[in-house]
Amino acid sequence: MSKSISDLYKNLEKEKGIHTDFKDNMTYGEYLHLDKILTSQKRLSSHHDEMLFIIIHQVSELWMKLILHELSSAIEAIQEDQLHTAFKMLARVSKTQTQIIQAWDVLSTLTPAEYLQFRDFLGKASGFQSYQYRLIEFALGYKSTPILKIYEKDPAVHEALKAAFQAPSIYDVSIEALARAGFDINPKLINRDYSNVYAGDPSVAKAWQEVYRNVDQYWDLYELAEKLVDIEDWLQQWRFRHMKTVERIIGFKAGTGGSSGVQYLKQVLDHRFFPELWDLRTEL
């Protein structure tokens, strides 16, 4: 036994308070429901690398669950003018996004030859169908009616998506916060039909420019704007890494869910969630 391991055991022996009897107490594994989580990786093929494929996507879905948890609470906080509370949540969203981006680096170790060994087992299942990713897009303001049909198989998921589809995005509530702060915002934007994708408005552009020209006066709104830019920046980096990883593994083949694959992923890179916050960089 090496000296370092021997020292470790000696240190553990000194820790007299460590609990070892859990007959009447909850364990770490029970708290996290590890029995369910760690038995949810069920390969459909016998290929070694399918385990990697499953775990990467499951972990990404867990991170997306956290993003949605923080985004939904941040939207409520902004509606209540509790901007400092929202800042903490939005900062956490950005940090979480970095974890999802790094996951693509792990998945990119899967080679085209390896993926082909189990790709057919996926059938029509595809990450394109991730309802949590759609909920994130909806929360950020990118909404598409045809996409809802994909989720009709699961009524509960479909209803949750429809509710999110009709709810204000984080940019909608930020624009409303500008109005409450005294900026002359187009009244048609307040309590609008949130199922329509926001396309930009001169009154919003003018308000954000005023915020950026008078940072000390509008510090909270300025900070909110920068937090939103952080989130869109990281999301676009996530989209780019997704696109390049797909291209690296399957080239320009169609996706298992029927999308055009890389071509579709390139198209969505052109979409902007918060247009005025990007345009003002040029206009200031």
Side-chain angles (χ1 to χ4, degrees), residues 46-282:
S46 59
H47 197 272
H48 173 84
D49 293 313
E50 190 183 355
M51 183 64 74
L52 162 68
F53 192 81
I54 292 171
I55 289 175
I56 286 294
H57 287 86
Q58 287 182 339
V59 168
S60 294
E61 290 291 337
L62 285 173
W63 282 128
M64 282 190 274
K65 183 171 184 177
L66 178 58
I67 287 173
L68 287 167
H69 176 69
E70 300 296 340
L71 276 178
S72 61
S73 294
I75 288 172
E76 291 178 5
I78 294 168
Q79 288 175 314
E80 296 170 359
D81 288 322
Q82 301 294 321
L83 297 188
H84 286 270
T85 300
F87 296 159
K88 174 69 174 181
M89 297 164 179
L90 296 177
R92 185 173 291 158
V93 168
S94 294
K95 289 297 184 181
T96 306
Q97 288 174 296
T98 67
Q99 298 300 308
I100 299 182
I101 292 169
Q102 291 175 356
W104 293 119
D105 294 336
V106 182
L107 186 59
S108 66
T109 64
L110 182 68
T111 69
E114 291 163 347
Y115 183 49
L116 285 174
Q117 296 300 310
F118 62 86
R119 187 181 192 231
D120 287 345
F121 286 88
L122 303 180
K124 292 181 172 59
S126 166
F128 183 83
Q129 299 145 16
S130 168
Y131 71 85
Q132 289 200 123
Y133 179 72
R134 297 304 170 194
L135 286 170
I136 290 172
E137 285 190 327
F138 291 176
L140 298 180
Y142 183 54
K143 300 176 180 182
S144 171
T145 303
I147 211 75
L148 291 174
K149 185 171 178 60
I150 294 174
Y151 308 97
E152 290 178 349
K153 181 179 180 179
D154 189 329
V157 168
H158 192 241
E159 286 302 313
L161 281 160
K162 284 200 299 183
F165 191 80
Q166 295 164 357
S169 72
I170 196 163
Y171 199 50
D172 286 316
V173 299
S174 296
I175 291 171
E176 290 164 8
L178 287 171
R180 290 194 299 275
F183 289 97
D184 186 16
I185 299 297
N186 182 352
K188 292 182 179 179
L189 299 178
I190 309 303
N191 296 318
R192 67 185 186 89
D193 181 355
Y194 300 120
S195 64
N196 294 323
V197 176
Y198 176 76
D201 189 274
S203 67
V204 175
K206 183 179 179 180
W208 283 128
Q209 288 175 32
E210 185 70 15
V211 168
Y212 274 73
R213 288 192 175 100
N214 298 277
V215 171
D216 291 340
Q217 183 179 352
Y218 301 112
W219 177 260
D220 284 354
L221 290 169
Y222 171 74
E223 184 71 9
L224 173 60
E226 285 298 293
K227 288 287 189 291
L228 294 177
V229 170
D230 285 343
I231 288 172
E232 180 165 350
D233 190 351
W234 284 114
L235 184 69
Q236 293 294 54
Q237 292 187 53
W238 184 93
R239 283 173 160 178
F240 179 79
R241 287 297 298 128
H242 183 191
M243 182 269 292
K244 294 305 293 183
T245 302
V246 170
E247 183 178 359
R248 176 171 177 159
I249 296 174
I250 69 168
F252 286 82
K253 294 186 183 74
T256 50
S259 75
S260 58
V262 169
Q263 293 294 355
Y264 170 79
L265 296 173
K266 283 185 175 180
Q267 291 171 17
V268 298
L269 282 171
D270 292 331
H271 175 262
R272 296 191 303 171
F273 293 92
F274 318 129
E276 290 90 358
L277 295 180
W278 293 99
D279 290 341
L280 68 80
R281 266 96 178 138
T282 303

Side-chain angles (χ1 to χ4, degrees), residues 37-49:
I37 294 174
L38 299 180
T39 56
S40 296
Q41 295 74 44
K42 302 184 187 300
R43 289 181 293 167
L44 298 179
S45 74
S46 59
H47 197 272
H48 173 84
D49 293 313

